[in-house]
């Protein structure tokens, strides 16, 4: 038997400014590049750059603003590193600009559904595409999520979106799937059963990305721990994902996650 490899670690880089003043924007761009450098040094296998928050209730960001935040950052990272870059956007025009600037992966939490042009754009770009499950729309998705069988419904959705992408011309070996932890899912009633049956998502036969870092269900399980105190829970989910066979995890705390997954793989390989 060959040795078990750990999942790839995708580090999250937020390119969303807190302030809309020019000074704030400049500082935000600088801070995003510094953060990207830090995550590369910490061992990130992939960087995921986002310029539009998908948090419930977050305001949409126009495409030009997303492009203005992302393109200079991608160029600056590319000038010093060959690390694969993914871009977290629902807009084809942003994906096009990002790939032209040197990004490699389109991370679409809308799974190519929110723009009629999206499937054809993904095919034309020829980049890797992450198709994520979400019930509803980002602004309202946490209002009243409902499932009869969350895992079966997420799997059926992902299989359908992969078929739609391939029908539009996206190559099968470019497609990743993501169960969309926290996207239109009740904190514990939906996220926990889905995580318990992640092997069913993996069994769809395409690489799976798992994004659970610091999400609300961890706080719900651990007595209301705030987002900055969810590292232990985030690592627990990454380890569970690795045991279920996910290909990659999307995390804030790259160094700690790489270490946990490396030790887990070393133990499994010694057995
Ligand atoms: N989660 C968030 C954003 N993008 N993309 C994928 N593919 N999978 C995810 O689970 C995912 C994602 C959630 O982001 P949010 O909690 O709003 O903030 P952050 O970007 O800091 O994680």
């Amino acid at each position: 038997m060959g040795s078990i490899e750990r999942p790839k670690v995708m580090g999250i880089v937020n390119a969303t400014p807190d302030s809309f003043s020019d000074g704030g924007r400049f500082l935000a761009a600088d801070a995003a590049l510094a953060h990207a450098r830090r995550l590369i040094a910490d061992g990130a296998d992939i960087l995921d750059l986002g310029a539009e928050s998908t948090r419930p209730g977050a305001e949409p960001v126009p495409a030009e603003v997303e492009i203005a935040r992302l393109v200079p950052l991608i160029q600056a990272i590319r000038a010093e590193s060959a690390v694969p870059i993914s871009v977290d956007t629902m807009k084809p025009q942003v994906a096009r600009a990002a790939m032209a600037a040197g990004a490699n992966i389109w991370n679409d939490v809308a799974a190519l559904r929110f723009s009629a042009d999206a499937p054809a754009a993904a095919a034309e770009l020829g980049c890797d595409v992450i198709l994520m499950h979400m019930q509803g729309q980002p602004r309202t998705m946490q209002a009243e999520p409902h499932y009869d069988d969350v895992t079966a419904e997420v799997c059926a959705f992902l299989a359908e979106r992969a078929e739609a992408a391939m029908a539009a011309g996206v190559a099968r070996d470019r497609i990743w799937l993501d169960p969309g932890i926290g996207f239109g899912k009740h904190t514990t009633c939906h996220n926990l059963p889905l995580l318990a049956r992640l092997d069913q998502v993996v069994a769809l036969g395409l690489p799976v990305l798992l994004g659970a870092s610091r999400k609300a269900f961890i706080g719900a399980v651990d007595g209301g721990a705030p987002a900055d105190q969810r590292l232990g829970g985030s690592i627990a989910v990454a380890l569970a994902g690795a045991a279920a066979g996910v290909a990659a995890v999307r995390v804030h705390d790259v160094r700690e996650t790489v270490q946990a997954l490396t030790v887990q793989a070393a133990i499994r390989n010694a057995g």
Side-chain angles (χ1 to χ4, degrees), residues 10 12-14 48 50 52-56 88 107-109 130-132 177-183 209-215 250-252:
M10 172 189 273
I12 300 166
V13 179
N14 199 331
D48 187 45
E52 179 181 52
S53 174
T54 46
R55 289 213 172 90
D88 191 347
N107 175 18
D108 185 3
V109 301
I130 299 166
L131 304 174
M132 196 196 77
L177 304 177
D178 184 330
I181 299 301
F183 283 83
L209 170 70
L210 179 64
S213 183
R214 299 185 189 170
K215 284 189 178 171
R250 178 182 182 276
V251 303
H252 300 89

Side-chain angles (χ1 to χ4, degrees), residues 71-150:
V71 165
L73 179 60
I74 294 165
Q75 290 169 335
I77 296 168
R78 263 297 155 268
E80 49 191 75
S81 170
V83 68
I85 296 174
S86 103
V87 175
D88 191 347
T89 182
M90 295 183 272
K91 302 186 187 81
Q93 60 270 52
V94 177
R96 282 201 188 89
M99 300 311 147
N104 315 86
I105 305 169
W106 181 1
N107 175 18
D108 185 3
V109 301
L112 308 178
R113 289 175 302 150
F114 289 178
S115 161
D117 179 33
E124 169 206 316
L125 286 168
C127 58
D128 281 18
V129 186
I130 299 166
L131 304 174
M132 196 196 77
H133 176 271
M134 165 172 28
Q135 187 179 87
Q137 305 266 337
R139 282 164 71 98
T140 52
M141 65 189 177
Q142 291 308 107
E144 245 177 284
H146 173 81
Y147 301 85
D148 292 322
D149 179 336
V150 64

